[in-house]
Amino acid sequence: MTLREFIKPCNFTKRGDGPKYLQLRNLIRKAILSGALEHHDALPAERDLAEFSGLSRVTVRNAIKALVREGTLVQRRGSGSFVSASPNDMQQSTTLLASFSTEMARRGLTARSTWIKRGHFHPSPDEIFALGLPQKSMVSRLMRVRYADDRSMAVERTALPVTILPEPNIVTNSLYATLEELGNAPVRAVQKISAINLRKADAELLNIPEGSAGLKIERVAYLANGMASEFTLSLYRGDAYEFVADLSPKELEHA
């Protein structure tokens, strides 16, 4: 599909998907991720985008500004807007507790999963330690491949005490949405991120070569009462994902 096909008027909804400029932003982003626009390609002029989409130039301008703010596009004075050097990279904040589904929805993408395993199991030593479980307890374990639209992003392995998730099969897409319905949504989490080379089994699940660079993310989430409620080990493909931290000093020193 071409960019013009992505943003044709029939692809905009009257309600439910937010303001028109955000819908246009999401459609342009999808066009970039699909390869309809490649690194450093120029975006058509505002007047052309307005004609293709049936939207006003003000709406088009606001969509472009949003794409520039998030780093998907760069603007060059007198030349126009261009696709940034790494439009296929997914960025995730390391300071915001959000589910994979929520992160993808913010980008106008559809999160989906291929389930590998769901059920009740005896916990591994790592799960016992992370969740503070007795030796003879059971956990609800989820293993799946996560996708953004049709692009594989991560292999995710999650363990939760059965008191937190009594029936693992009720999780359809978003684990955190299910936990919120059960009254067991976490309020904070601690993550550890490290670089790895993906082993054969995980690389095959992601449809990338064995030994490819990846990111290993270990997360322990906690309820408001301090109880450890979730232990997740995620392996992200390194060519499509990066984590961003927004840092600031606790105190500003004045000379």
Side-chain angles (χ1 to χ4, degrees):
M1 291 176 63
T2 64
L3 173 63
R4 186 167 186 169
E5 291 172 313
F6 271 99
I7 65 172
K8 58 187 179 182
C10 65
N11 289 335
F12 295 89
T13 60
K14 292 183 178 180
R15 62 181 64 182
D17 289 331
K20 289 293 193 298
Y21 85 92
L22 290 180
Q23 294 184 42
L24 178 59
R25 178 203 65 180
N26 294 341
L27 290 172
I28 293 174
R29 189 192 286 141
K30 283 189 175 183
I32 293 171
L33 291 173
S34 75
L37 288 172
E38 298 184 351
H39 299 192
H40 307 299
D41 279 355
L43 200 67
E46 282 184 9
R47 64 178 179 276
D48 294 327
L49 291 172
E51 179 184 344
F52 299 160
S53 63
L55 303 175
S56 70
R57 291 185 64 173
V58 171
T59 300
V60 170
R61 191 173 303 124
N62 287 335
I64 292 174
K65 287 180 180 178
L67 289 164
V68 171
R69 282 196 300 269
E70 70 182 29
T72 301
L73 298 178
V74 293
Q75 287 186 316
R76 300 172 189 165
R77 185 178 297 274
S79 299
S81 301
F82 296 81
V83 179
S84 64
S86 302
N88 289 327
D89 288 347
M90 296 291 177
Q91 293 187 344
Q92 179 175 327
S93 170
T94 59
T95 58
L96 178 66
L97 178 58
S99 69
F100 180 89
S101 300
T102 299
E103 288 290 340
M104 295 305 104
R106 285 176 181 159
R107 292 162 173 77
L109 303 173
T110 300
R112 67 177 183 87
S113 303
T114 297
W115 289 100
I116 308 299
K117 184 185 300 182
R118 274 187 290 187
H120 292 135
F121 298 88
H122 293 290
S124 68
D126 286 344
E127 292 165 350
I128 290 174
F129 178 78
L131 297 172
L133 298 173
Q135 290 285 345
K136 295 183 178 181
S137 59
M138 299 290 286
V139 295
S140 293
R141 189 176 295 152
L142 311 171
M143 179 179 174
R144 53 185 168 171
V145 180
R146 306 307 305 268
Y147 295 84
D149 285 345
D150 291 323
R151 190 183 192 196
S152 62
M153 299 299 295
V155 178
E156 185 179 272
R157 298 172 173 88
T158 300
L160 308 96
V162 292
T163 55
I164 299 298
L165 182 65
E167 179 46 66
N169 287 321
I170 66 173
V171 180
T172 54
N173 194 19
S174 173
L175 170 62
Y176 279 16
T178 301
L179 293 178
E180 187 169 357
E181 291 175 0
L182 294 173
N184 290 327
V187 298
R188 71 179 186 93
V190 176
Q191 285 193 157
K192 182 172 69 174
I193 304 173
S194 56
I196 61 167
N197 293 105
L198 293 167
R199 296 180 178 178
K200 182 179 180 180
D202 293 313
E204 287 179 349
L205 289 172
L206 294 171
N207 197 28
I208 57 178
E210 178 183 359
S212 295
L215 292 171
K216 177 182 176 182
I217 318 296
E218 292 181 273
R219 171 189 285 191
V220 180
Y222 299 88
L223 301 180
N225 64 7
M227 174 185 174
S229 60
E230 170 212 348
F231 174 59
T232 294
L233 172 61
S234 301
L235 302 178
Y236 285 86
R237 51 188 297 170
D239 64 342
Y241 223 88
E242 60 185 25
F243 285 78
V244 177
D246 185 3
L247 306 177
S248 60
K250 290 184 178 179
E251 297 181 0
L252 293 176
E253 296 183 358
H254 300 280

